[in-house]
Amino acid sequence: METIVTRFAPSPTGYLHIGGLRTALFNYLYARANKGKFLLRIEDTDLARNSTDAKEAIIQAFEWVGMDYDGEVVYQSQRFPLYQQYIEQLLKEGKAYYCYMSKEELDLLREEQRKRGETPRYDNRYRDFQGTPPSGIQPVVRIKAPLSGEICFKDGVKGEMRIAAKELDDFIIARSDGTPTYNFCVAIDDALMGVTDVIRGDDHLSNTPKQIIIYEALGFKVPRFFHVPMILNPQGHKLSKRDGAMSVMEYKEMGYLPEALLNFLVRLGWSHGDQEIFSKKEMLEFFNPNDLNSAPSAYNQEKLLWLNSHYIRELSNDSLNRLLSENFNVEVPQERVQEILYPEIKERSKTLVDFVEILKDCLQMPKSYDEKMQHKVSSEENIRLLGEFCAYIKALKKPIATAQEVENEMATFADFHGIKAKVLFVPLRYALLGKSGGVGIAPLLASLEKEEIIKRIQNALESFKG
Protein backbone atom coordinates (compact mmCIF):
# COMPACT_ATOMS: atom_id res chain seq x y z
CA MET A 1 0.00 0.00 0.00
CA GLU A 2 1.10 3.53 -0.76
CA THR A 3 2.26 5.51 2.29
CA ILE A 4 0.25 8.71 2.64
CA VAL A 5 2.55 11.74 2.83
CA THR A 6 1.11 15.20 3.44
CA ARG A 7 2.73 18.51 4.21
CA PHE A 8 2.05 21.97 5.56
CA ALA A 9 4.04 24.66 3.81
CA PRO A 10 3.52 28.18 5.21
CA SER A 11 5.49 31.23 4.16
CA PRO A 12 6.99 33.10 7.16
CA THR A 13 6.01 36.56 5.98
CA GLY A 14 3.42 36.80 8.77
CA TYR A 15 2.34 34.87 11.83
CA LEU A 16 0.43 31.62 11.46
CA HIS A 17 -3.30 32.37 11.50
CA ILE A 18 -6.20 30.00 12.07
CA GLY A 19 -6.86 29.44 8.36
CA GLY A 20 -3.31 28.10 8.06
CA LEU A 21 -3.70 26.03 11.20
CA ARG A 22 -6.88 24.47 9.80
CA THR A 23 -4.99 23.48 6.62
CA ALA A 24 -2.22 22.00 8.75
CA LEU A 25 -4.76 20.11 10.86
CA PHE A 26 -6.44 18.50 7.85
CA ASN A 27 -3.06 17.36 6.49
CA TYR A 28 -1.95 16.16 9.92
CA LEU A 29 -5.11 14.12 10.53
CA TYR A 30 -5.05 12.45 7.13
CA ALA A 31 -1.40 11.41 7.47
CA ARG A 32 -1.61 10.26 11.08
CA ALA A 33 -4.90 8.39 10.59
CA ASN A 34 -3.27 6.39 7.79
CA LYS A 35 0.05 5.82 9.57
CA GLY A 36 1.68 8.07 6.99
CA LYS A 37 4.02 11.05 7.22
CA PHE A 38 3.21 14.66 7.96
CA LEU A 39 5.94 17.09 6.92
CA LEU A 40 6.58 20.74 7.71
CA ARG A 41 8.19 22.96 5.10
CA ILE A 42 8.86 26.69 5.49
CA GLU A 43 8.56 28.45 2.13
CA ASP A 44 11.00 31.26 2.80
CA THR A 45 12.28 32.03 -0.69
CA ASP A 46 11.04 35.63 -0.44
CA LEU A 47 14.15 36.75 1.44
CA ALA A 48 13.03 40.39 1.59
CA ARG A 49 9.74 39.65 3.36
CA ASN A 50 10.72 36.73 5.60
CA SER A 51 10.41 37.14 9.35
CA THR A 52 12.46 35.10 11.81
CA ASP A 53 9.83 35.73 14.48
CA ALA A 54 7.13 34.37 12.16
CA LYS A 55 9.16 31.21 11.56
CA GLU A 56 9.50 30.64 15.30
CA ALA A 57 5.81 31.38 15.85
CA ILE A 58 4.85 28.63 13.37
CA ILE A 59 6.91 26.10 15.35
CA GLN A 60 5.50 27.41 18.65
CA ALA A 61 1.93 27.10 17.38
CA PHE A 62 2.52 23.48 16.40
CA GLU A 63 3.96 22.73 19.84
CA TRP A 64 1.04 24.48 21.59
CA VAL A 65 -1.70 22.56 19.78
CA GLY A 66 0.22 19.27 20.02
CA MET A 67 0.71 18.60 16.32
CA ASP A 68 3.99 16.82 15.70
CA TYR A 69 5.64 16.41 12.30
CA ASP A 70 8.05 13.90 10.82
CA GLY A 71 11.72 14.59 10.26
CA GLU A 72 13.36 18.01 10.30
CA VAL A 73 11.71 21.22 9.19
CA VAL A 74 12.57 21.86 5.52
CA TYR A 75 13.54 25.44 4.63
CA GLN A 76 13.29 26.35 0.95
CA SER A 77 15.89 29.10 1.33
CA GLN A 78 18.47 26.35 1.92
CA ARG A 79 17.59 24.52 -1.32
CA PHE A 80 18.39 27.09 -4.04
CA PRO A 81 21.19 24.94 -5.60
CA LEU A 82 18.70 22.08 -5.90
CA TYR A 83 16.15 24.24 -7.74
CA GLN A 84 18.88 25.57 -10.03
CA GLN A 85 19.80 22.02 -10.95
CA TYR A 86 16.26 21.30 -12.20
CA ILE A 87 16.01 24.63 -14.03
CA GLU A 88 19.19 23.75 -15.92
CA GLN A 89 17.80 20.28 -16.67
CA LEU A 90 14.67 21.78 -18.27
CA LEU A 91 16.77 24.26 -20.28
CA LYS A 92 19.02 21.43 -21.50
CA GLU A 93 16.03 19.28 -22.51
CA GLY A 94 14.40 22.17 -24.38
CA LYS A 95 11.42 22.22 -22.01
CA ALA A 96 12.29 25.71 -20.78
CA TYR A 97 14.00 28.71 -22.34
CA TYR A 98 15.50 32.12 -21.65
CA CYS A 99 13.16 35.03 -22.28
CA TYR A 100 14.75 38.43 -22.96
CA MET A 101 11.56 40.45 -22.98
CA SER A 102 11.97 43.60 -20.91
CA LYS A 103 9.43 44.68 -18.34
CA GLU A 104 8.55 47.68 -20.52
CA GLU A 105 7.89 45.42 -23.52
CA LEU A 106 5.73 43.10 -21.44
CA ASP A 107 3.73 46.01 -20.01
CA LEU A 108 3.17 47.41 -23.53
CA LEU A 109 2.07 43.99 -24.83
CA ARG A 110 -0.46 43.59 -22.01
CA GLU A 111 -1.84 47.08 -22.57
CA GLU A 112 -2.39 46.36 -26.29
CA GLN A 113 -4.08 43.05 -25.45
CA ARG A 114 -6.45 44.78 -23.02
CA LYS A 115 -7.39 47.34 -25.67
CA ARG A 116 -8.31 44.46 -28.00
CA GLY A 117 -10.40 42.86 -25.23
CA GLU A 118 -7.97 39.96 -24.82
CA THR A 119 -6.69 38.40 -21.61
CA PRO A 120 -3.22 39.83 -20.94
CA ARG A 121 -0.62 37.11 -21.41
CA TYR A 122 2.92 36.57 -22.62
CA ASP A 123 2.98 35.88 -26.38
CA ASN A 124 5.72 33.20 -26.39
CA ARG A 125 7.95 35.34 -28.61
CA TYR A 126 11.17 33.78 -27.25
CA ARG A 127 9.83 30.22 -27.09
CA ASP A 128 11.79 29.05 -30.12
CA PHE A 129 14.22 31.95 -30.36
CA GLN A 130 17.46 31.13 -32.20
CA GLY A 131 18.88 34.58 -32.78
CA THR A 132 21.31 36.80 -30.91
CA PRO A 133 20.03 37.79 -27.45
CA PRO A 134 19.48 41.52 -26.98
CA SER A 135 22.20 43.19 -24.92
CA GLY A 136 21.63 44.62 -21.47
CA ILE A 137 18.73 42.28 -20.63
CA GLN A 138 19.07 39.81 -17.79
CA PRO A 139 16.71 37.02 -18.96
CA VAL A 140 14.09 35.13 -16.99
CA VAL A 141 13.49 31.43 -17.53
CA ARG A 142 10.08 30.34 -18.80
CA ILE A 143 8.72 26.81 -19.02
CA LYS A 144 7.10 25.60 -22.23
CA ALA A 145 3.43 25.16 -21.40
CA PRO A 146 1.20 23.04 -23.65
CA LEU A 147 -0.10 24.97 -26.65
CA SER A 148 -3.26 22.91 -27.06
CA GLY A 149 -5.54 20.53 -25.21
CA GLU A 150 -6.38 20.64 -21.53
CA ILE A 151 -4.71 20.22 -18.16
CA CYS A 152 -6.96 17.91 -16.16
CA PHE A 153 -6.95 16.72 -12.59
CA LYS A 154 -9.47 15.38 -10.13
CA ASP A 155 -9.82 17.55 -7.07
CA GLY A 156 -10.99 15.72 -3.92
CA VAL A 157 -13.25 18.64 -2.99
CA LYS A 158 -14.22 20.31 -6.25
CA GLY A 159 -14.37 17.29 -8.54
CA GLU A 160 -13.06 17.06 -12.10
CA MET A 161 -11.07 20.16 -13.12
CA ARG A 162 -10.28 21.00 -16.74
CA ILE A 163 -8.19 24.01 -17.73
CA ALA A 164 -7.72 24.83 -21.41
CA ALA A 165 -4.07 25.18 -22.38
CA LYS A 166 -4.85 28.52 -24.07
CA GLU A 167 -5.62 29.96 -20.63
CA LEU A 168 -1.97 29.51 -19.61
CA ASP A 169 1.14 31.08 -21.05
CA ASP A 170 4.77 30.08 -20.74
CA PHE A 171 5.08 31.20 -17.14
CA ILE A 172 8.31 32.17 -15.39
CA ILE A 173 10.12 29.54 -13.32
CA ALA A 174 13.26 31.60 -12.57
CA ARG A 175 13.49 35.38 -12.20
CA SER A 176 16.14 37.53 -13.86
CA ASP A 177 18.29 37.36 -10.72
CA GLY A 178 18.22 33.54 -10.91
CA THR A 179 15.87 32.94 -7.96
CA PRO A 180 13.19 30.31 -8.61
CA THR A 181 9.52 31.20 -8.48
CA TYR A 182 6.93 29.95 -5.99
CA ASN A 183 5.22 27.36 -8.19
CA PHE A 184 8.51 25.86 -9.33
CA CYS A 185 9.83 25.42 -5.76
CA VAL A 186 6.55 23.94 -4.55
CA ALA A 187 6.40 21.35 -7.33
CA ILE A 188 10.05 20.33 -6.88
CA ASP A 189 9.75 20.06 -3.10
CA ASP A 190 6.47 18.17 -3.09
CA ALA A 191 7.89 15.68 -5.59
CA LEU A 192 11.23 15.18 -3.85
CA MET A 193 9.63 14.97 -0.40
CA GLY A 194 7.32 12.24 -1.68
CA VAL A 195 4.10 14.17 -1.01
CA THR A 196 1.16 12.06 -2.16
CA ASP A 197 -1.71 14.35 -1.12
CA VAL A 198 -1.88 18.14 -1.10
CA ILE A 199 -4.65 19.62 1.06
CA ARG A 200 -4.67 23.41 0.86
CA GLY A 201 -6.91 26.45 0.54
CA ASP A 202 -8.72 27.00 -2.74
CA ASP A 203 -6.86 30.28 -3.18
CA HIS A 204 -4.14 27.95 -4.54
CA LEU A 205 -6.42 26.38 -7.15
CA SER A 206 -5.05 28.57 -9.95
CA ASN A 207 -1.51 27.41 -9.09
CA THR A 208 -2.31 23.75 -9.57
CA PRO A 209 -2.26 23.56 -13.41
CA LYS A 210 1.10 25.36 -13.44
CA GLN A 211 2.51 22.93 -10.90
CA ILE A 212 1.18 19.98 -12.92
CA ILE A 213 3.02 21.32 -15.97
CA ILE A 214 6.24 21.34 -13.92
CA TYR A 215 5.62 17.82 -12.55
CA GLU A 216 5.07 16.43 -16.02
CA ALA A 217 8.00 18.28 -17.57
CA LEU A 218 10.33 16.67 -15.01
CA GLY A 219 8.65 13.26 -15.07
CA PHE A 220 7.42 13.48 -11.49
CA LYS A 221 4.27 11.80 -10.25
CA VAL A 222 1.39 14.25 -9.77
CA PRO A 223 -0.08 14.14 -6.24
CA ARG A 224 -3.77 14.14 -5.34
CA PHE A 225 -5.23 17.58 -4.65
CA PHE A 226 -7.88 18.77 -2.21
CA HIS A 227 -8.67 22.48 -2.40
CA VAL A 228 -10.62 23.58 0.66
CA PRO A 229 -12.86 26.68 0.53
CA MET A 230 -11.64 29.59 2.62
CA ILE A 231 -13.05 30.48 6.05
CA LEU A 232 -15.37 33.47 5.73
CA ASN A 233 -16.71 35.89 8.32
CA PRO A 234 -20.41 35.68 9.35
CA GLN A 235 -21.29 38.16 6.57
CA GLY A 236 -19.72 35.91 3.92
CA HIS A 237 -16.64 38.07 3.33
CA LYS A 238 -12.95 37.28 3.67
CA LEU A 239 -11.97 36.74 7.29
CA SER A 240 -10.22 39.75 8.81
CA LYS A 241 -8.31 40.09 12.06
CA ARG A 242 -11.38 41.69 13.62
CA ASP A 243 -13.37 38.56 12.72
CA GLY A 244 -10.84 36.11 14.14
CA ALA A 245 -7.99 35.83 11.62
CA MET A 246 -5.41 36.47 14.32
CA SER A 247 -2.13 34.79 15.07
CA VAL A 248 -2.69 31.32 16.52
CA MET A 249 -0.62 32.27 19.57
CA GLU A 250 -2.95 35.21 20.25
CA TYR A 251 -5.67 32.65 20.91
CA LYS A 252 -3.46 31.19 23.61
CA GLU A 253 -3.01 34.63 25.18
CA MET A 254 -6.79 35.15 25.07
CA GLY A 255 -7.32 32.02 27.14
CA TYR A 256 -8.39 29.47 24.54
CA LEU A 257 -7.43 25.83 24.93
CA PRO A 258 -5.73 24.07 22.00
CA GLU A 259 -8.28 21.24 22.18
CA ALA A 260 -11.09 23.74 21.68
CA LEU A 261 -9.37 25.55 18.81
CA LEU A 262 -8.63 22.30 16.94
CA ASN A 263 -12.17 21.02 17.53
CA PHE A 264 -13.52 24.34 16.22
CA LEU A 265 -11.31 24.30 13.13
CA VAL A 266 -11.94 20.68 12.18
CA ARG A 267 -15.66 21.49 11.91
CA LEU A 268 -15.02 24.41 9.56
CA GLY A 269 -15.34 22.53 6.30
CA TRP A 270 -15.73 18.95 7.55
CA SER A 271 -18.38 17.05 9.45
CA HIS A 272 -19.18 13.61 10.82
CA GLY A 273 -22.93 13.33 11.16
CA ASP A 274 -24.24 15.85 13.68
CA GLN A 275 -21.32 15.46 16.09
CA GLU A 276 -19.86 18.76 17.32
CA ILE A 277 -17.35 17.76 19.99
CA PHE A 278 -14.36 15.69 18.87
CA SER A 279 -11.39 14.46 20.85
CA LYS A 280 -8.15 14.18 18.89
CA LYS A 281 -8.64 10.40 18.93
CA GLU A 282 -12.08 10.80 17.31
CA MET A 283 -10.73 13.24 14.72
CA LEU A 284 -8.11 10.68 13.73
CA GLU A 285 -10.72 7.94 13.61
CA PHE A 286 -13.29 9.78 11.51
CA PHE A 287 -11.44 12.34 9.35
CA ASN A 288 -11.31 11.72 5.63
CA PRO A 289 -10.46 14.49 3.13
CA ASN A 290 -13.05 13.06 0.73
CA ASP A 291 -15.67 14.33 3.19
CA LEU A 292 -14.48 17.94 3.05
CA ASN A 293 -17.24 20.39 2.16
CA SER A 294 -17.19 22.21 -1.15
CA ALA A 295 -19.00 25.25 0.31
CA PRO A 296 -17.15 27.89 2.40
CA SER A 297 -17.46 27.81 6.19
CA ALA A 298 -18.31 30.77 8.40
CA TYR A 299 -16.31 31.71 11.48
CA ASN A 300 -18.57 31.62 14.55
CA GLN A 301 -17.10 33.23 17.66
CA GLU A 302 -19.93 32.05 19.92
CA LYS A 303 -19.37 28.45 18.90
CA LEU A 304 -15.65 28.70 19.63
CA LEU A 305 -16.43 30.12 23.09
CA TRP A 306 -18.97 27.35 23.69
CA LEU A 307 -16.39 24.69 22.79
CA ASN A 308 -13.76 26.39 24.92
CA SER A 309 -16.03 26.50 27.96
CA HIS A 310 -16.75 22.79 27.45
CA TYR A 311 -13.04 21.91 27.47
CA ILE A 312 -12.39 24.15 30.49
CA ARG A 313 -15.03 22.21 32.44
CA GLU A 314 -13.29 18.97 31.42
CA LEU A 315 -9.90 20.06 32.83
CA SER A 316 -8.60 18.41 35.99
CA ASN A 317 -7.51 20.75 38.76
CA ASP A 318 -3.87 19.75 38.19
CA SER A 319 -4.07 20.58 34.47
CA LEU A 320 -5.84 23.83 35.21
CA ASN A 321 -3.25 24.82 37.82
CA ARG A 322 -0.43 24.15 35.39
CA LEU A 323 -2.07 26.40 32.76
CA LEU A 324 -2.78 29.15 35.28
CA SER A 325 0.78 29.06 36.55
CA GLU A 326 2.60 28.76 33.20
CA ASN A 327 0.40 30.95 31.00
CA PHE A 328 -0.92 33.56 33.43
CA ASN A 329 1.58 33.53 36.29
CA VAL A 330 -1.26 32.94 38.76
CA GLU A 331 -0.46 31.75 42.28
CA VAL A 332 -2.41 28.52 42.75
CA PRO A 333 -4.74 28.56 45.79
CA GLN A 334 -4.91 25.87 48.48
CA GLU A 335 -6.34 22.52 47.48
CA ARG A 336 -9.38 23.08 49.74
CA VAL A 337 -10.14 26.34 47.95
CA GLN A 338 -9.71 24.65 44.57
CA GLU A 339 -12.22 21.95 45.46
CA ILE A 340 -14.79 24.56 46.47
CA LEU A 341 -14.27 27.30 43.88
CA TYR A 342 -13.00 25.65 40.69
CA PRO A 343 -16.28 23.90 39.76
CA GLU A 344 -18.14 27.18 40.32
CA ILE A 345 -15.69 29.24 38.28
CA LYS A 346 -15.54 26.68 35.45
CA GLU A 347 -19.29 27.00 34.95
CA ARG A 348 -18.90 30.77 34.49
CA SER A 349 -15.77 30.80 32.29
CA LYS A 350 -15.67 30.83 28.52
CA THR A 351 -11.89 31.37 28.46
CA LEU A 352 -8.98 30.91 30.83
CA VAL A 353 -8.79 34.70 31.04
CA ASP A 354 -12.36 34.64 32.41
CA PHE A 355 -11.32 31.95 34.89
CA VAL A 356 -8.33 33.99 36.12
CA GLU A 357 -10.41 37.15 36.52
CA ILE A 358 -13.16 35.39 38.49
CA LEU A 359 -10.60 33.57 40.66
CA LYS A 360 -8.84 36.84 41.46
CA ASP A 361 -12.16 38.49 42.28
CA CYS A 362 -12.86 35.68 44.74
CA LEU A 363 -9.47 35.62 46.44
CA GLN A 364 -8.55 39.32 46.48
CA MET A 365 -10.07 42.08 48.58
CA PRO A 366 -12.22 44.39 46.42
CA LYS A 367 -10.17 47.41 45.37
CA SER A 368 -13.29 49.42 44.52
CA TYR A 369 -17.07 49.16 44.74
CA ASP A 370 -19.58 49.38 41.93
CA GLU A 371 -21.44 52.68 42.40
CA LYS A 372 -24.77 51.45 41.07
CA MET A 373 -24.66 48.42 43.31
CA GLN A 374 -23.63 50.56 46.28
CA HIS A 375 -26.68 52.73 45.74
CA LYS A 376 -28.86 49.62 45.50
CA VAL A 377 -27.69 48.04 48.77
CA SER A 378 -27.11 51.15 50.90
CA SER A 379 -30.41 50.98 52.78
CA GLU A 380 -30.32 51.11 56.57
CA GLU A 381 -31.70 47.57 56.72
CA ASN A 382 -28.95 46.14 54.52
CA ILE A 383 -26.26 47.98 56.45
CA ARG A 384 -27.68 46.66 59.69
CA LEU A 385 -27.85 43.09 58.35
CA LEU A 386 -24.24 43.24 57.14
CA GLY A 387 -23.12 44.43 60.57
CA GLU A 388 -25.12 41.70 62.30
CA PHE A 389 -23.79 39.03 59.93
CA CYS A 390 -20.22 40.21 60.53
CA ALA A 391 -20.78 39.84 64.28
CA TYR A 392 -22.31 36.39 63.69
CA ILE A 393 -19.25 35.23 61.72
CA LYS A 394 -16.94 36.56 64.45
CA ALA A 395 -18.82 34.54 67.06
CA LEU A 396 -18.53 31.22 65.22
CA LYS A 397 -16.35 28.80 67.13
CA LYS A 398 -15.22 26.67 64.17
CA PRO A 399 -14.35 27.50 60.56
CA ILE A 400 -16.93 26.96 57.83
CA ALA A 401 -15.50 24.19 55.65
CA THR A 402 -18.12 23.64 52.92
CA ALA A 403 -20.76 25.50 50.94
CA GLN A 404 -23.42 23.38 52.64
CA GLU A 405 -22.21 24.49 56.08
CA VAL A 406 -22.39 28.11 54.91
CA GLU A 407 -25.98 27.63 53.76
CA ASN A 408 -26.85 26.13 57.14
CA GLU A 409 -25.30 29.06 59.00
CA MET A 410 -27.02 31.60 56.72
CA ALA A 411 -30.35 29.83 57.28
CA THR A 412 -29.83 29.97 61.05
CA PHE A 413 -28.95 33.67 60.86
CA ALA A 414 -31.95 34.41 58.63
CA ASP A 415 -34.37 32.53 60.93
CA PHE A 416 -33.11 34.46 63.94
CA HIS A 417 -33.67 37.78 62.17
CA GLY A 418 -36.99 36.76 60.64
CA ILE A 419 -35.87 37.12 57.03
CA LYS A 420 -35.27 34.81 54.05
CA ALA A 421 -31.63 33.87 53.48
CA LYS A 422 -31.68 35.24 49.94
CA VAL A 423 -32.20 38.75 51.35
CA LEU A 424 -28.53 38.57 52.35
CA PHE A 425 -27.22 37.63 48.91
CA VAL A 426 -27.02 41.07 47.27
CA PRO A 427 -25.47 43.00 50.19
CA LEU A 428 -23.04 40.14 50.84
CA ARG A 429 -22.04 40.03 47.18
CA TYR A 430 -21.35 43.76 47.37
CA ALA A 431 -19.26 43.28 50.52
CA LEU A 432 -17.28 40.27 49.29
CA LEU A 433 -16.77 41.14 45.60
CA GLY A 434 -17.63 44.83 45.29
CA LYS A 435 -19.83 44.16 42.27
CA SER A 436 -22.65 42.03 40.91
CA GLY A 437 -22.06 38.68 39.25
CA GLY A 438 -19.51 36.04 40.17
CA VAL A 439 -19.68 32.71 41.96
CA GLY A 440 -22.37 31.71 44.44
CA ILE A 441 -22.24 33.33 47.87
CA ALA A 442 -22.11 30.00 49.76
CA PRO A 443 -19.02 28.58 47.98
CA LEU A 444 -17.35 32.00 48.09
CA LEU A 445 -17.81 32.27 51.88
CA ALA A 446 -16.65 28.67 52.32
CA SER A 447 -13.45 29.38 50.39
CA LEU A 448 -12.46 32.44 52.46
CA GLU A 449 -10.82 32.50 55.85
CA LYS A 450 -12.93 33.87 58.69
CA GLU A 451 -10.69 36.94 59.12
CA GLU A 452 -10.94 37.71 55.41
CA ILE A 453 -14.75 37.61 55.47
CA ILE A 454 -14.85 39.95 58.47
CA LYS A 455 -12.38 42.38 56.89
CA ARG A 456 -14.33 42.54 53.61
CA ILE A 457 -17.63 43.21 55.38
CA GLN A 458 -16.02 45.90 57.53
CA ASN A 459 -14.52 47.56 54.43
CA ALA A 460 -17.92 47.51 52.75
CA LEU A 461 -19.54 49.13 55.78
CA GLU A 462 -16.86 51.83 55.67
CA SER A 463 -17.65 52.44 51.97
CA PHE A 464 -21.20 53.44 52.89
CA LYS A 465 -19.89 56.20 55.15
CA GLY A 466 -18.08 57.73 52.20
Side-chain angles (χ1 to χ4, degrees), residues 314-370:
E314 295 290 305
L315 284 173
S316 67
N317 286 358
D318 286 343
S319 298
L320 189 49
N321 289 333
R322 178 175 50 78
L323 290 169
L324 296 180
S325 177
E326 292 177 1
N327 298 353
F328 299 95
N329 199 27
V330 170
E331 187 176 338
V332 174
Q334 300 172 18
E335 190 171 335
R336 182 187 75 85
V337 175
Q338 295 173 34
E339 295 299 326
I340 296 169
L341 284 183
Y342 279 16
E344 291 277 326
I345 301 177
K346 283 180 180 179
E347 289 297 323
R348 292 165 172 78
S349 301
K350 292 183 177 179
T351 68
L352 289 178
V353 170
D354 292 343
F355 191 98
V356 170
E357 289 177 354
I358 298 171
L359 181 62
K360 286 181 177 178
D361 284 343
C362 292
L363 301 182
Q364 295 178 359
M365 190 83 66
K367 294 178 181 176
S368 61
Y369 296 91
D370 181 85

Side-chain angles (χ1 to χ4, degrees), residues 369-386 423-432 434-436 460-461 463-464:
Y369 296 91
D370 181 85
E371 289 185 11
K372 287 184 179 179
M373 194 175 184
Q374 185 182 61
H375 182 73
K376 182 179 179 180
V377 302
S378 61
S379 68
E380 289 184 13
E381 177 63 10
N382 281 336
I383 293 172
R384 183 184 69 79
L385 284 173
L386 278 177
V423 172
L424 281 169
F425 291 174
V426 175
L428 269 178
R429 189 173 295 283
Y430 171 82
L432 299 174
K435 61 182 183 180
S436 59
L461 291 171
S463 76
F464 292 125

Side-chain angles (χ1 to χ4, degrees), residues 148-159:
S148 61
E150 294 179 319
I151 296 158
C152 306
F153 65 97
K154 185 178 180 182
D155 187 276
V157 178
K158 299 182 179 296

Side-chain angles (χ1 to χ4, degrees), residues 76-198:
Q76 283 188 334
S77 59
Q78 299 171 4
R79 295 162 69 86
F80 281 148
L82 182 67
Y83 306 135
Q84 187 61 42
Q85 173 188 325
Y86 283 100
I87 288 168
E88 289 172 4
Q89 177 182 326
L90 291 175
L91 286 168
K92 210 172 283 183
E93 293 175 353
K95 296 176 180 177
Y97 59 93
Y98 289 111
C99 172
Y100 298 90
M101 194 174 189
S102 68
K103 183 180 183 302
E104 290 73 24
E105 287 177 305
L106 188 58
D107 289 343
L108 182 62
L109 172 65
R110 286 172 175 167
E111 185 59 36
E112 290 173 350
Q113 288 170 332
R114 286 191 192 96
K115 285 179 181 177
R116 295 196 297 268
E118 299 171 2
T119 302
R121 64 201 305 275
Y122 171 65
D123 61 2
N124 294 355
R125 66 180 62 179
Y126 284 98
R127 183 176 175 117
D128 299 306
F129 181 71
Q130 298 293 329
T132 303
S135 61
I137 299 291
Q138 199 68 25
V140 299
V141 177
R142 292 180 181 271
I143 195 166
K144 289 184 177 180
L147 297 175
S148 61
E150 294 179 319
I151 296 158
C152 306
F153 65 97
K154 185 178 180 182
D155 187 276
V157 178
K158 299 182 179 296
E160 196 71 30
M161 304 298 295
R162 294 179 174 275
I163 299 92
K166 64 181 181 181
E167 293 182 25
L168 299 168
D169 56 11
D170 290 354
F171 55 90
I172 296 171
I173 58 173
R175 303 176 185 90
S176 57
D177 63 0
T179 58
T181 57
Y182 167 79
N183 281 310
F184 189 75
C185 296
V186 168
I188 297 296
D189 285 336
D190 282 347
L192 297 184
M193 293 167 73
V195 173
T196 60
D197 296 81
V198 175

Side-chain angles (χ1 to χ4, degrees), residues 198-390:
V198 175
I199 305 173
R200 59 189 179 189
D202 63 3
D203 53 329
H204 286 283
L205 190 61
S206 61
N207 293 323
T208 305
K210 294 180 179 180
Q211 290 168 15
I212 290 174
I213 290 171
I214 296 166
Y215 280 115
E216 293 180 341
L218 290 167
F220 291 141
K221 183 180 179 181
V222 179
R224 291 178 288 269
F225 293 99
F226 301 84
H227 288 93
V228 187
M230 305 297 282
I231 303 172
L232 304 179
N233 69 9
Q235 291 73 43
H237 302 135
K238 184 180 178 182
L239 200 64
S240 67
K241 184 166 183 176
R242 184 177 59 187
D243 301 312
M246 300 169 289
S247 156
V248 169
M249 298 311 287
E250 284 185 73
Y251 280 88
K252 179 182 179 183
E253 293 168 10
M254 291 164 64
Y256 288 94
L257 296 175
E259 299 89 344
L261 189 57
L262 293 182
N263 192 154
F264 176 68
L265 291 176
V266 82
R267 285 288 288 109
L268 289 178
W270 174 82
S271 61
H272 178 72
D274 296 326
Q275 187 170 337
E276 291 290 349
I277 295 174
F278 292 88
S279 65
K280 185 181 280 189
K281 181 181 177 183
E282 288 175 316
M283 291 184 206
L284 289 167
E285 182 181 349
F286 300 132
F287 182 80
N288 187 322
N290 293 310
D291 296 330
L292 289 167
N293 300 337
S294 58
S297 302
Y299 182 93
N300 185 328
Q301 179 73 16
E302 287 305 310
K303 184 174 179 183
L304 175 55
L305 287 168
W306 172 76
L307 282 167
N308 204 55
S309 62
H310 164 79
Y311 283 101
I312 287 175
R313 289 195 298 273
E314 295 290 305
L315 284 173
S316 67
N317 286 358
D318 286 343
S319 298
L320 189 49
N321 289 333
R322 178 175 50 78
L323 290 169
L324 296 180
S325 177
E326 292 177 1
N327 298 353
F328 299 95
N329 199 27
V330 170
E331 187 176 338
V332 174
Q334 300 172 18
E335 190 171 335
R336 182 187 75 85
V337 175
Q338 295 173 34
E339 295 299 326
I340 296 169
L341 284 183
Y342 279 16
E344 291 277 326
I345 301 177
K346 283 180 180 179
E347 289 297 323
R348 292 165 172 78
S349 301
K350 292 183 177 179
T351 68
L352 289 178
V353 170
D354 292 343
F355 191 98
V356 170
E357 289 177 354
I358 298 171
L359 181 62
K360 286 181 177 178
D361 284 343
C362 292
L363 301 182
Q364 295 178 359
M365 190 83 66
K367 294 178 181 176
S368 61
Y369 296 91
D370 181 85
E371 289 185 11
K372 287 184 179 179
M373 194 175 184
Q374 185 182 61
H375 182 73
K376 182 179 179 180
V377 302
S378 61
S379 68
E380 289 184 13
E381 177 63 10
N382 281 336
I383 293 172
R384 183 184 69 79
L385 284 173
L386 278 177
E388 294 282 358
F389 190 73
C390 186

